[in-house]
Amino acid sequence: MFLDDVLEMLKKKSNQKAYTIGEKSYTYAEFYKYVANIYEFLLRENIGKKPVVIYGHKEVYMKACMIASSMAGMTYVPVDISIPEERIKSIIDQVKPKIIVGDLKNYNKNVSKNEIYDIMKNDNYNEINQIFMKQDDIYYIVFTSGSTGIPKGVKITYNNLDSCIKWLKELVQTKKQVILNQANFSFDLSVADLYLSLITESEHYIIDSEKLDYETTFNSLNKSNATIAVMTPSYADLLLLDKTFNQNLMPKLEKIIFCGEKLNNITAEKLYNRFDKLKIINTYGPTECTFAVTSYEVPRNVCNKIPVGTPKSDVEIYIVDDNLQKLSEEKIGEILITGKSVADGYLGNVVNNSFISYQGKNAYLTGDLGYIKNGLLYYIQRKDKQIKYKGYRIELSDVENNLIELKYIEKAVVVAKKDEEGKVISILAFVKTNEEIEKIKQDLKKKLPDYMIPRIKIVDKFPLNNNGKCDEKKLLEEF
Ligand code: AMP
């Protein structure tokens, strides 16, 4: 299993860079020391191996804690600082961790950032001689937007992740690279760069994408010497807005692995025009199927509709109708995934559970519409009210339910405004209330991360369509 390979590599204690964030780089020797110290600490403190919550923003202790807890056989739950207090409380209530690492106040099981740094830096550490994680154990839990307004935790097993990492390694087929990170660690896109960097003995180069200040970002992109980048198409679109995002800025960039959203041909074309040696890989999959399950190398001569490609070898993909009957090639239906990537389900009882049994196998019904043509999978759009905004997965009903929970709101309807290509450009909330918009925003910010905060319009009446349902099209015209 891949942790054995990681441990073997870490034990070489090399002076190659393992992790770079801001001005600071850490070698593999240092990283191993951090992991070994935390591993010992966790085994001493977390008897019973309860989940470990890792709170913070991309700092090296987070990655070291992830690897240490995995080696110690403990599930980890990454929580980024962009998640507001109330949502964190909901996550912690569901996970019931014994240890929370990072500066999360008001929890008595907390090991602060300073404390963990003190533990990590002990030079007299013991070697790691045993990996406690078993194949069917839950390796990590990542929380995504839940339609009820409560985030839902996806349980990924060691088997799931092992299969994902071996597939990623095949996709890049190289070693000792510089791998660029965009996503924060509570978003499963980061799984690709977090682990690909380790398994290929590469430098993991962190970009602080939360604060997109062009000057700082472009300086770091330039300094990174990155050869591989993992990002969402939305992030690439942002970078492409600046003409200097090109080969002069990143002369060594060879591969971009995209995931999380539809990759438009215009984005791919622009990238190929600006980078001579670049290869673009479009990957597709939900968090519930461990980062991604299909891949497609986009040819330089970019076609209009970019497929999401072919499944990894231990996964099967079916297009099914509403009765789960398999549809033939070119017929549009829902994408259903079976095989080694399908997670162990959600934590606790989740309504609308899409983990099902299909032909006797564990399967995940994605809610994505697509079709297969010439053996390639194409994604069309969502069936439901789940959207991708700025690369983040959001259930519009999550925003709606959190609005309705505010006592002074009588009714709320949340819709996504899209451009001609179907890309979400803003989230709009129509609410009936006597309260001021500013107050609603402030209250909502306590419950939802910034990227989920909608533009708000107060309305008296909600227009109805012929079926007597709220006419979202008419509402959109009002903004
Ligand atoms: P997440 O769990 O955040 O990775 O979001 C999963 C959802 O993102 C999928 O169910 C799709 O709706 C969408 N998605 C992921 N990758 C792609 C892709 N390459 N093309 C189009 N949509 C994608």
Side-chain angles (χ1 to χ4, degrees), residues 7 17 24 54 73 129 148 156 170 215 260 305 338 369 385 394 476:
L7 183 57
K17 286 181 188 170
K24 195 99 189 73
I54 308 173
N129 288 322
T148 54
I156 300 295
E170 272 170 39
E215 203 179 313
K305 280 188 194 146
T338 67
L369 289 178
K385 288 185 82 181
I394 301 168
L476 272 171

Side-chain angles (χ1 to χ4, degrees), residues 230-426:
V230 180
M231 61 176 78
T232 57
S234 288
Y235 190 66
D237 287 339
L238 273 179
L239 299 176
L240 283 164
L241 287 178
D242 191 307
K243 293 224 159 39
T244 64
F245 180 63
N246 59 27
Q247 191 149 311
N248 292 335
L249 186 79
M250 301 184 72
K252 297 200 173 149
L253 189 64
E254 284 170 13
K255 265 191 191 126
I256 300 184
I257 299 174
F258 280 119
C259 194
E261 289 172 297
K262 199 167 194 168
L263 173 64
N264 289 323
N265 56 332
I266 299 168
T267 309
E269 267 164 19
K270 280 189 187 160
L271 286 168
Y272 277 151
N273 285 338
R274 295 202 203 172
F275 293 88
D276 288 350
K277 285 176 288 182
L278 185 68
K279 281 189 181 149
I280 296 174
I281 300 176
N282 187 20
T283 66
Y284 156 86
T287 304
E288 287 83 345
C289 294
T290 326
F291 170 64
V293 287
T294 70
S295 69
Y296 178 74
E297 190 177 315
V298 183
R300 284 213 148 245
N301 182 8
V302 182
C303 46
N304 259 346
K305 280 188 194 146
I306 303 177
V308 293
T310 47
K312 56 204 269 284
S313 60
D314 53 11
V315 148
E316 266 150 55
I317 290 195
Y318 303 89
I319 302 294
V320 295
D321 65 14
D322 289 344
N323 299 318
L324 297 184
Q325 294 303 310
K326 189 180 162 200
L327 296 173
S328 52
E329 275 234 343
E330 298 193 34
K331 288 259 164 29
I332 296 173
E334 189 166 353
I335 302 172
L336 180 137
I337 302 169
T338 67
K340 267 211 160 174
S341 296
V342 178
D344 195 42
Y346 296 114
L347 187 65
N349 293 324
V350 167
V351 276
N352 296 333
N353 199 330
S354 303
F355 287 99
I356 57 168
S357 172
Y358 183 73
Q359 298 178 346
K361 287 185 264 177
N362 287 341
Y364 181 69
L365 202 50
T366 58
D368 291 329
L369 289 178
Y371 61 94
I372 295 173
K373 189 174 173 187
N374 299 329
L376 294 171
L377 178 67
Y378 288 78
Y379 166 92
I380 304 177
Q381 62 182 50
R382 290 290 304 173
K383 262 182 94 174
D384 52 18
K385 288 185 82 181
Q386 181 181 302
I387 58 156
K388 278 290 169 126
Y389 180 51
K390 297 180 176 169
Y392 294 102
R393 165 170 159 181
I394 301 168
E395 294 282 354
L396 291 176
S397 41
D398 189 351
V399 182
E400 218 163 76
N401 285 325
N402 273 286
L403 273 166
I404 293 164
E405 266 181 22
L406 302 174
K407 282 186 219 83
Y408 48 79
I409 290 196
E410 262 182 62
K411 183 176 164 123
V413 173
V414 178
V415 281
K417 186 169 185 166
K418 297 180 180 166
D419 68 10
E420 284 154 12
E421 283 169 346
K423 192 177 168 78
V424 176
I425 45 178
S426 55

Side-chain angles (χ1 to χ4, degrees), residues 53-56 61 100-105 110-113 116:
V53 166
I54 308 173
Y55 177 76
Y61 74 86
I100 300 170
V101 180
D103 286 345
L104 198 54
K105 294 185 189 81
N110 192 251
V111 183
S112 73
K113 215 154 85 172
I116 202 74

